[in-house]
Amino acid sequence: AVGKSALALRLCEVLHGEVISVDSVQVYRGLKIGANKPSEGERCRVPHHLLDLRDPMDEYTAGSFYKDALRAVNQVLDR
């Protein structure tokens, strides 16, 4: 760990940004070990996207991720 998440949070606070996760594990609900998901406190500091979208047993393809990520980017840009 080199502090990328902490830096992203700080930048989002200063620039009024939002975090769009691109972690392949963080998209799944209930997976805490190995996912290094942001804490509730961190999620309250700045909006986060693409976390806890699917159950681990659900199929989630690269195409599905692309659509979800594009939607999140567009939502952020529309604000």
Side-chain angles (χ1 to χ4, degrees):
V2 294
K4 295 184 299 283
S5 296
L7 176 61
L9 281 173
R10 186 68 188 123
L11 286 172
C12 285
E13 288 174 327
V14 170
L15 301 173
H16 306 288
E18 301 183 23
V19 174
I20 299 175
S21 173
V22 294
D23 187 290
S24 63
V25 177
Q26 291 183 358
V27 73
Y28 293 107
R29 285 187 285 272
L31 295 181
K32 293 183 178 28
I33 297 173
N36 197 28
K37 290 183 183 179
S39 68
E40 287 301 318
E42 291 168 329
R43 291 185 193 196
C44 289
R45 287 170 53 191
V46 299
H48 284 70
H49 302 272
L50 302 184
L51 299 175
D52 299 326
L53 294 179
R54 304 288 174 112
D55 289 318
M57 299 304 291
D58 291 345
E59 179 180 69
Y60 194 63
T61 65
S64 299
F65 172 79
Y66 171 79
K67 289 176 187 172
D68 288 338
L70 187 59
R71 186 177 313 110
V73 168
N74 287 327
Q75 289 171 350
V76 171
L77 292 175
D78 286 343
R79 289 192 241 292

